[in-house]
Amino acid sequence: MVIGATGQTGRVAVRALAEDGWEVRAASRGGGRDERWPREVRAVRLDREDDAALAAVIGDGCDVVVDLVAFGRTHARQLTGLAGRIGSAVVISSGSVYEDDRGRGFDTQDRPDGGPRYPVPIPETQRTVAPGEATYSTRKVLLERELLAAGDTLPVTLLRAGAIHGPYCRTPRELYFVKRLLDGRRRRVLAYGGRSRFHPVHVGNLAELIRLAAARPGSRVLNAADPGAPTVAEIGAAIDKVLDRETETVLAEGAPVDGVGDTPWTLEHPVVYDMAAAERELGYRPVTDYAESLPGTVDWLTERLRGRDWTDAFPKMVQNYGRDGLFDYAAEDAWLARYDRTAG
């Protein structure tokens, strides 16, 4: 059973599992289907917060539960409470759970000198933030601890995903560059010299990790990322190429100023995940890389934006970044005017 089947990752994971020979129940709040799923996939409606409904969908039992939407202690205990009816589980966690050796992580980035300085790449043995219910990252650690404590009673593979990308994303980072190009913007500013790296993972690669883990039950934590971690400048150039546009990129040293130069990937120090453990334990080999997968993402974004304001197409992006947080062109133009006077 796949919980969260009609989300960005679920659509691809269901198809990968079905094509691998699994009999799949695709559970989602709406009970919908993806047109690319084989006919044999059984779509079911599920309110994840309803313990009785979850137990009813699992029924007498299933070999594997793939949980794409789990957070915190409550969801962990839902799964462990059904351990007698579940053979094993594959659960999505997040690479944001890591903290550096001075206690800095994703939750401290807005503080002075709060940007984490992780090893490159980050192994699964790197320390994590303390578990709790306060933030996304602490809830994911709480989820991990509760599930791993189940031990052999419920073998669980936890996948610490990087920056997930691909079609059907509610918060697509690529929108930052795609919308600018569609709006006719031909100059952009990137902070930290455009060197920021926030390791992405395409939904196809994440689905491949899920497929492999489903066939190899065990209690483990593994990173989930693409074969490479491009810089934000490289991502912008790759999107230019897909849309056949030319953009002048102004590389500004230092942090963003009044939001100018900031992007959804912008970090002072690189975040790159080590994939050696997944390769060793699951025999993982990526099915795509960032540049190869990008046309599908850009095509989906372009179509979704057609005839619509971006705030209507991606309300979750507005919630996360604000209406002007990503596309304050007036501030950007003012910064560029000052830059041009200085350069001249």
Side-chain angles (χ1 to χ4, degrees):
M1 184 178 73
V2 177
I3 304 173
T6 56
Q8 178 189 18
T9 302
R11 292 170 184 267
V12 186
V14 167
R15 187 170 78 248
L17 290 163
E19 290 174 352
D20 208 30
W22 292 94
E23 178 184 329
V24 182
R25 279 172 281 177
S28 65
R29 183 178 293 274
R33 295 183 59 87
D34 186 285
E35 62 184 14
R36 297 165 297 175
W37 291 347
R39 288 178 302 173
E40 295 77 15
V41 171
R42 182 159 66 92
V44 296
R45 191 183 302 270
L46 173 66
D47 179 356
R48 171 55 192 277
E49 306 307 321
D50 186 332
D51 294 355
L54 178 61
V57 171
I58 290 177
D60 293 334
C62 59
D63 295 303
V64 184
V65 168
V66 177
D67 196 338
L68 306 173
V69 295
F71 285 97
R73 177 180 286 114
T74 299
H75 290 167
R77 291 184 177 177
Q78 279 183 326
L79 296 176
T80 57
L82 295 167
R85 289 190 262 167
I86 299 172
S88 67
V90 183
V91 178
I92 299 301
S93 185
S94 170
S96 72
V97 301
Y98 293 115
E99 68 177 14
D100 70 12
D101 294 339
R102 291 177 55 186
R104 296 171 298 198
F106 279 53
D107 293 337
T108 65
Q109 292 182 89
D110 59 348
R111 305 175 192 172
D113 195 32
R117 293 168 173 79
Y118 298 120
V120 178
I122 306 170
E124 289 85 350
T125 53
Q126 178 69 22
R127 59 192 270 184
T128 65
V129 298
E133 295 285 5
T135 70
Y136 176 89
S137 300
T138 62
R139 291 178 71 195
K140 283 293 191 182
V141 174
L142 186 58
L143 173 79
E144 290 186 2
R145 301 277 180 91
E146 290 278 342
L147 290 174
L148 291 173
D152 295 336
T153 303
L154 178 62
V156 178
T157 297
L158 289 149
L159 297 175
R160 290 176 175 165
I164 301 175
H165 64 103
Y168 299 100
C169 183
R170 297 172 64 201
T171 55
R173 291 172 176 85
E174 288 73 17
L175 178 67
Y176 179 86
F177 289 122
V178 171
K179 175 174 161 52
R180 276 176 158 69
L181 293 175
L182 296 179
D183 288 344
R185 305 286 293 182
R186 293 297 176 264
R187 300 181 82 190
R188 58 175 167 246
V189 184
L190 297 178
Y192 301 122
R195 295 183 296 273
S196 296
R197 287 198 292 164
F198 182 11
H199 207 158
V201 58
H202 186 260
V203 288
N205 289 329
L206 193 48
E208 176 67 1
L209 285 160
I210 291 168
R211 182 188 73 83
L212 292 169
R216 297 168 174 82
S219 291
R220 56 173 81 94
V221 176
L222 298 172
N223 288 331
D226 284 345
T231 67
V232 66
E234 291 169 340
I235 290 172
I239 293 174
D240 285 352
K241 184 175 181 180
V242 172
L243 287 174
D244 194 23
R245 311 289 172 92
E246 291 186 7
T247 304
E248 176 193 351
T249 301
V250 178
L251 301 177
E253 293 299 331
V257 177
D258 297 327
V260 176
D262 201 6
T263 78
W265 297 271
T266 298
L267 299 164
E268 184 176 5
H269 305 287
V271 175
V272 180
Y273 301 110
D274 190 342
M275 291 303 296
E279 294 168 3
R280 181 177 63 252
E281 296 191 26
L282 299 180
Y284 168 68
R285 297 294 182 271
V287 299
T288 189
D289 62 24
Y290 190 85
E292 182 182 46
S293 68
L294 194 55
T297 303
V298 172
D299 287 348
W300 179 78
L301 281 169
T302 302
E303 184 58 34
R304 189 163 177 83
L305 288 169
R306 196 180 308 280
R308 306 174 70 184
D309 188 89
W310 78 274
T311 58
D312 295 327
F314 298 103
K316 182 65 172 174
M317 287 288 278
V318 182
Q319 181 180 332
N320 286 7
Y321 296 98
R323 182 175 291 271
D324 296 324
L326 295 176
F327 306 111
D328 190 347
Y329 295 159
E332 192 170 76
D333 288 341
W335 189 98
L336 285 166
R338 293 192 297 272
Y339 170 84
D340 289 341
R341 288 195 298 270
T342 303

